[in-house]
Each structure stands twice: as structure tokens, then as C-alpha cells.
Amino acid sequence: MDRRDFVKLGAAISGTLVAARAAGQALPSQARPLPAKPGPFPGGQVRVVTPNGATLPMKEKDGLKIGHLVAMPVDHTFAPGLEGACWGYNGRVHGPTIEVVEGDRARFYVTNRLPEPTTVHWHGIILPNGMDGVAGLTQRPIMPRETHMYEFTFDKPGTFMYHPHFDEMTQMALGMVGMIVVHPKKPKGPRVDRDFALITHEWAIRAGMRRPDPNEMKDFNVLTFNAKAFPGTEPLVVGKGERVRIRLGNLSAMDHHPIHLHGLSFEVVGTDGGDIPVSARVPETTVLVPTGSVRVIEFVPTESGDWAMHCHMTHHIMNQMGHGMGVIVGANAAKIDARVQQLVPGYMTMGHTGMGDMAEMKMPAPKNSIPMVGGKGPFSSIDMGGMFTILKVRDNPESEDGSGWYSHPKGSVADKADAAMMQADGVDPDVKF
Ligand SMILES: [Cu+2]
């Protein structure tokens, strides 16, 4: 079934309960990220928080940091209602974030519990050629049930990624990616109070199926931050006036993602190639994260609130949906519906007033699929999905419950105006154009 069929199927049968799932559900995983505390890192650098994710535990032995990555099949929940038969590391999709300090020497055991060979490539890390993880070129592939050992020194600080370099198309499409953060020994620039790692990714999951399709080249219907689609994404809680860093990696198969933040402007301070000199930084509100790249942004929010953070490709802030359909915005659905209902009882056209009502529609969906849009908001359903999350800027992030909604000062929310108000301001409510 393709996405077009999903729309047809959804449109053809009406009446049951999906809308409850669509509009009524609370934002899941609202657990607050751990408060940023100075970690055991030089210069009091804070630990990186991976929303919806984890950090790889590392043991220390004889001045060596030792980690273990297990490549394996993982049952993963993208958002409530959508399960995927994915591949990942250590029981997670995506794999845990590796967090070390410049100069650390690390040993990684990589165990393969997949049905095919794999390797790990340490994307952006400068290391001896034989540790680079390219099957055939720099090493023997890690066969199923084998473990290989990688050992190298993290010579350069920055933000990097890891992923397989065997059957990249399948293994990355099924979720085998992760982030690497190398803290500098001597931090430069102003101290950062919050530090987040987010990987953008895209998946093709046919309605009713569980296995993402690795062969897809353009019709991606599940777009994620850290493998979660809204409303499954965990918000980023930060303090007003705090310096915040977000490390954005992109290991999508085909697409770049212009990530846009509301309520502030930021500077792009680094890539997976290194730091951007202060003199070359420009203020932005959207950063394009090309596939295979990292962009690190920093900002100091000055306005409290619940601020949207999302990919600005509008198809990427929708969940499973069909785009391969005719334009029916403005069509007279009553006529269409009456005619089609003679053949298909209960038929209901969707999209003739735009797609903003999708979250509220009482329309069933196939098993294992999520509504195209819709998370619960404080005012109404939020009609976005996919690569969307919320930056929660709080006056006192440590003591306030950041998992709740922002409470707006009285009179500070855009709301209905009546004709008398307009006339009092010299605005003609019945103006003709
Ligand atoms: Cu996007």
C-alpha cells in the first residue's frame, strides 16, 4: 500500500475512532531532560542531553575509555500508534550518544547481532585508516555474531556521528546512526548552560507495515528528531537567559532539513569539520542541515514560552500521509461525497478546505499508522507532526515544571477582535478589495 492508498483507504471508510488518537492524546515522553549540571568535563562543560535518547556508558581502564556497541534488530516506537521493525544499537533507535573529551583514547567493541555483516564508521573523526570502518576498503566486515575492536584517540573536539559502512542504504534506513560529542580540553567562548544532540532522519513506512523501506528514494512519510515523530518528540527545556547549544546531525537518506526555531535567532558555531570562526558567524533563524552533516547552533533565549522548533519543509512536519493526490482545495465536497457514497457508503472527501483539519477528522487509519498531524496543545490540537518539537523556555527551569505548558501573562495571547475594537482603531471591518 502506498501513501496515496492510505489516503484513499482513510477517505473511503468513515466513522470510527482514530480522531481520539489523533486529537486527544497527550504529548508522550514529557519527562524533563536531566537538568544540565557541570559534568566531569574540563572547564565545567555540561553533559549533552539526547532528547528521547541515551548516552553510551563508558568504562575506564588503564587510561582507556571502553565502550560496547551492539548492532541489532530493535522494535521502535516512532510516536504512539506507530511501531517500526528497525535496526539500531544497544536496544535503541537511534544508537546512544558517545560523549568523550578531546585527547581521550577509546576502545569500542562492536558486536554484530544482525542477519548481515556490518561495520562502524566514525563520521568526521580523524583516525588511523584501519579504524575508519569502511567494509572492504579498510577492514573485513564484522560478520553476524562476530565482535570487532576499534581503538583510536579523539584528537579533535567537535560534533560527529557514527553509522555503518556496509550496506549503508539498508542499515541507515533502518535506523543505525548515532551522535559523537568530543568536548574540548580547554573550552573556548562563553560557557554553555544546556547542550542537546538531535539527529534528523527520514523513513518510508507504508501504512500498516512495520518495516521501514530502505529502497525508497523520495516518498518519505515519517520524519523524525532522534527517531521520534511529533507528538512523540520530547521537548527541550531551557532557561531564559541561558546559553543553549543544539547539535543537529542529519543522516537522512535523501533530504536536507532546514531547521527553524521560533522566538530567537541563533548563530551556527560549528560543523562536523570544526568550529566556525567568530568573525564568520551570522545570525539565523533557520539552519540547513545537509544530509551527512552536522550543524551546531548556539543562542540565548530572551522570551519565555513554548516555542516551535521544526523542519521548514512543510511535508516534513506531517506524519504518514499521501501527497500523490489531486488538488481538491476549494472543491465542493458535498457533491463529490454524495456521488461516491452511492458506490462507497460512508465516503468522506478530505482536504477540500485544506489539510489543517486532519487531526480532528473522525477517520479510521490502517493498523500501525499515526495521524498525519496532531498533538495536544494548550489551545487546540497542534496540526503538525513529523520533524517537530518544542523548545520550552522557562524563567526558572530547575524549579518550574517544564513538562507543562507555558502560562501566558494575562492579555499577551493573540485572540479574537470584534468590529467595535477595529472601528475604534480606524480599521474598517467590512473593507472591500
Ligand atoms: Cu525536513
Side-chain angles (χ1 to χ4, degrees), residues 209-362:
M209 309 270 297
R210 297 180 71 245
R211 179 77 77 190
D213 180 0
N215 302 313
E216 182 54 58
M217 292 183 74
K218 55 183 173 45
D219 205 7
F220 298 96
N221 61 354
V222 177
L223 282 293
T224 58
F225 280 127
N226 286 348
K228 294 284 184 179
F230 185 75
T233 48
E234 186 176 280
L236 281 56
V237 182
V238 308
K240 185 166 136 179
E242 289 183 335
R243 190 166 187 84
V244 180
R245 178 188 292 141
I246 304 178
R247 307 165 189 261
L248 295 157
N250 182 4
L251 287 170
S252 302
M254 302 297 292
D255 284 301
H256 313 317
H257 301 292
I259 304 299
H260 177 60
L261 268 93
H262 293 213
L264 52 91
S265 68
F266 53 77
E267 286 185 341
V268 185
V269 302
T271 76
D272 37 348
D275 290 344
I276 296 172
V278 174
S279 59
R281 297 178 190 173
V282 285
E284 302 272 12
T285 66
T286 302
V287 58
L288 183 65
V289 189
T291 190
S293 302
V294 169
R295 295 290 180 266
V296 183
I297 63 171
E298 286 185 16
F299 54 86
V300 179
T302 56
E303 299 295 323
S304 297
D306 294 328
W307 297 103
M309 171 177 173
H310 60 96
C311 180
H312 219 293
M313 291 194 184
T314 53
H315 286 210
H316 288 186
I317 45 170
M318 289 199 136
N319 293 319
Q320 294 168 297
M321 73 166 294
H323 292 113
M325 50 193 282
V327 182
I328 53 166
V329 178
N332 184 342
K335 274 190 196 162
I336 303 171
D337 287 4
R339 287 169 64 186
V340 180
Q341 277 161 9
Q342 293 169 12
L343 295 169
V344 186
Y347 175 87
M348 182 171 67
T349 306
M350 44 186 248
H352 55 99
T353 60
M355 296 297 256
D357 55 356
M358 292 316 302
E360 309 285 358
M361 282 182 83
K362 304 246 184 306

Side-chain angles (χ1 to χ4, degrees), residues 60-259:
E60 277 200 69
K61 189 192 151 208
D62 304 333
L64 209 61
K65 288 198 173 163
I66 300 170
H68 188 196
L69 289 173
V70 180
M72 58 187 282
V74 179
D75 290 324
H76 174 68
T77 303
F78 289 93
L82 182 63
E83 307 280 327
C86 297
W87 290 359
Y89 297 98
N90 299 12
R92 309 197 68 88
V93 176
H94 303 306
T97 299
I98 294 172
E99 191 175 14
V100 294
V101 176
E102 175 188 4
D104 277 352
R105 187 161 183 83
R107 181 179 290 166
F108 294 103
Y109 291 98
V110 178
T111 299
N112 183 5
R113 293 188 191 153
L114 300 172
E116 68 165 355
T118 192
T119 63
V120 177
H121 165 60
W122 318 90
H123 181 117
I125 306 282
I126 296 168
L127 36 56
N129 186 246
M131 292 293 154
D132 197 43
V134 180
L137 180 66
T138 66
Q139 71 167 84
R140 289 189 314 107
I142 310 171
M143 302 306 284
R145 294 178 299 284
E146 274 185 358
T147 296
H148 277 209
M149 192 182 91
Y150 294 83
E151 188 175 319
F152 52 88
T153 302
F154 288 97
D155 280 327
K156 205 175 87 170
T159 311
F160 312 99
M161 301 184 285
Y162 63 92
H163 63 79
H165 242 301
F166 176 92
D167 191 10
E168 297 83 357
M169 184 184 88
T170 303
Q171 297 191 3
M172 290 164 74
L174 296 188
M176 294 176 66
V177 305
M179 205 80 143
I180 301 173
V181 173
V182 185
H183 291 284
K185 239 181 211 160
K186 281 195 193 127
K188 283 183 284 181
R191 185 178 175 281
V192 164
D193 301 293
R194 310 268 168 182
D195 198 335
F196 297 98
L198 288 175
I199 301 184
T200 58
H201 209 54
E202 60 191 358
W203 317 71
I205 306 175
R206 310 279 163 250
M209 309 270 297
R210 297 180 71 245
R211 179 77 77 190
D213 180 0
N215 302 313
E216 182 54 58
M217 292 183 74
K218 55 183 173 45
D219 205 7
F220 298 96
N221 61 354
V222 177
L223 282 293
T224 58
F225 280 127
N226 286 348
K228 294 284 184 179
F230 185 75
T233 48
E234 186 176 280
L236 281 56
V237 182
V238 308
K240 185 166 136 179
E242 289 183 335
R243 190 166 187 84
V244 180
R245 178 188 292 141
I246 304 178
R247 307 165 189 261
L248 295 157
N250 182 4
L251 287 170
S252 302
M254 302 297 292
D255 284 301
H256 313 317
H257 301 292
I259 304 299

Side-chain angles (χ1 to χ4, degrees), residues 376-392:
K376 196 176 167 61
F379 295 96
S380 67
S381 172
I382 299 170
D383 67 339
M384 279 177 278
M387 204 176 279
F388 176 91
T389 188
I390 298 167
L391 179 77
K392 290 175 174 281

